[in-house]
Amino acid sequence: MEENSRLDRLVEAGKAVIPPLTLLSALLFYFGYVSARSQYEYFGVDVDTIGLGTQDYIMRSPQPLLTPLLLFAAAGAGAVAAHAAIRRRIHPEASPRTVRRMRRLARAGQVAGLTALAAGLLLLLAYPFLRDWRLYGLVTPLLIATGGTLLGAGSALGRLLRPPAPPAPFRRTSTTLVYLVVAVSAFWTTATVAQWSGRGLAMDQANRLGRLPSVILDTKESLFLRSPGVQETKLPPSEGQTFHYRYRNLRLLIHGKDRMFLVADHWSASNTTIIVPLDDSVRVQFQFQNQPPSPFSRATPPGTARPAPT
C-alpha cells in the first residue's frame, strides 16, 4: 500500500505538470514520426520534405504501437495476477515453510534483476562497439526494463515479509529511480519497434508497388530518369502544346502538401524517388486499375436512379 501511495502521488504530480491528453498526443506523434521516417528513408526520402502534419503522424502511430501495447498489457496483467497470488499467500497465519519459500523467491527476483540490469548496462557501455548489431536497440532496453522490474518486485516482496518499519529516504529514492529506468527502457523499446515497423511497411510496399496508384506524368522538359522500367515518350508537337514528354510505369508513393513522390512500378536497387510539384509545370493523370468490373457490379444499387436513355 505504501508503494502504491507513493506511485499515485508521483502520477498526480506529473498530471499537474503535463496534462494527460497533451502527453498522449506527444507520444503518438513521436512514435508515428519515428515509423514514418524509417518507412520513407527506405525510398531515399527525408520525411521532413513531405510536409506531413501532426495529425498525419498521430494517425500513423497505431500500426507501430499495436505490438508493444499488447505485450505491455499482457505483462501488466501477468504482474497483477502474480502480485495478487503472492499477497494471498502472505498472511499472519502463513506457515514458516511458506515464508521461507517467499523469501527465496524475493532473493531470486533480486538476483535475476541485478543480473539482467548489469547485462543491459554493459551493453549500454559497449554501444561504440555494438551499435551496428541489428538487435542492439531491442535487447538492451529489454534487459534493463526486465532487470529493473524484477529488482523492484523482489525488493517489494522482501519488504512485505519484514516487520513494518518507517520508510527510509534512500529506499524511496531508489524505488523512484527504478520506476524511471523501467519507463525510459519501455520508451526506448517502443521506439525501436516503431522504427522496425516503418521499415517493414516500406519493404512490403516495395514488394507490392503494383498496388499503389498508377500515374501518367507529362512534363515540359525531359527528366532524364534512370529508374529501370520507366517509359519516356516524346509527345507529337501540336499548336498550343506546352508538354512535350510523357512518362509511364510510375506509382504514387505519397502525396505531400504541395508535391507528389513517384516511384517506378517495379523495385530495383537503382530506382529513385521523383518529386513532382503540384503546379502548372506538370500534368498528372491517374490510371484506372487494370481489372474489369465483375458482372455482379453491373446491377444498379437500390435507390439509384438509372440514366435516362438518349
Side-chain angles (χ1 to χ4, degrees):
M1 295 297 294
E2 179 186 340
E3 296 294 336
N4 292 337
S5 62
R6 285 205 299 266
L7 181 60
D8 291 340
R9 289 196 298 269
L10 185 62
V11 171
E12 291 299 328
K15 288 182 179 179
V17 178
I18 305 176
L21 186 58
T22 302
L23 178 61
L24 177 62
S25 299
L27 289 174
L28 293 177
F29 170 84
Y30 176 77
F31 293 124
Y33 177 84
V34 169
S35 177
R37 186 173 188 85
S38 178
Q39 178 180 359
Y40 294 108
E41 188 179 43
Y42 180 82
F43 295 97
V45 178
D46 186 346
V47 71
D48 295 329
T49 64
I50 299 176
L52 298 177
T54 302
Q55 185 177 0
D56 298 315
Y57 290 121
I58 291 178
M59 294 181 66
R60 289 171 178 269
S61 62
Q63 170 74 23
L65 288 179
L66 180 61
T67 299
L69 288 179
L70 289 176
L71 291 177
F72 292 153
V80 170
H83 179 75
I86 291 174
R87 289 299 295 266
R88 283 196 301 268
R89 305 192 69 173
I90 301 176
H91 50 82
E93 293 78 17
S95 64
R97 182 180 178 182
T98 300
V99 173
R100 288 195 299 269
R101 187 179 300 173
M102 291 295 104
R103 284 175 178 168
R104 286 197 298 267
L105 181 62
R107 284 195 296 268
Q110 290 177 328
V111 171
L114 284 173
T115 303
L117 193 58
L121 293 177
L122 284 176
L123 286 176
L124 195 61
L125 294 175
Y127 173 76
F129 309 101
L130 299 176
R131 59 185 176 186
D132 294 330
W133 182 29
R134 189 172 182 271
L135 297 178
Y136 180 87
L138 185 66
V139 173
T140 304
L142 279 179
L143 281 174
I144 296 176
T146 303
T149 302
L150 290 176
L151 181 60
S155 301
L157 179 56
R159 287 193 294 272
L160 287 175
L161 296 170
R162 290 195 297 266
F170 174 75
R171 190 176 67 192
R172 186 180 301 126
T173 304
S174 62
T175 302
T176 304
L177 288 177
V178 168
Y179 288 146
L180 181 61
V181 166
V182 171
V184 172
S185 301
F187 183 88
W188 184 3
T189 303
T190 307
T192 301
V193 173
Q195 187 179 14
W196 287 5
S197 175
R199 180 55 60 96
L201 286 173
M203 297 179 73
D204 183 68
Q205 276 186 315
N207 194 40
R208 306 165 186 261
L209 289 173
R211 295 187 177 184
L212 298 176
S214 180
V215 175
I216 299 176
L217 176 66
D218 294 343
T219 62
K220 298 179 180 180
E221 299 178 353
S222 176
L223 300 179
F224 299 100
L225 301 181
R226 59 185 183 90
S227 297
V230 178
Q231 178 185 357
E232 177 188 278
T233 56
K234 197 168 184 179
L235 297 175
S238 61
E239 186 178 355
Q241 176 66 266
T242 59
F243 298 97
H244 306 293
Y245 295 90
R246 172 162 293 177
Y247 296 90
R248 296 180 180 269
N249 302 332
L250 292 172
R251 299 282 174 169
L252 176 63
L253 177 64
I254 188 172
H255 176 272
K257 184 178 180 181
D258 55 357
R259 65 195 71 181
M260 295 189 305
F261 295 79
L262 308 179
V263 294
D265 60 0
H266 287 88
W267 184 89
S268 172
S270 57
N271 277 355
T272 58
T273 300
I274 310 163
I275 304 177
V276 177
L278 292 176
D279 53 25
D280 57 0
S281 64
V282 297
R283 182 170 59 192
V284 178
Q285 303 176 60
F286 290 94
Q287 288 184 282
F288 282 6
Q289 292 188 359
N290 189 16
Q291 180 181 2
S294 64
F296 301 101
S297 63
R298 296 178 183 175
T300 304
T304 303
R306 293 181 178 271
T310 57

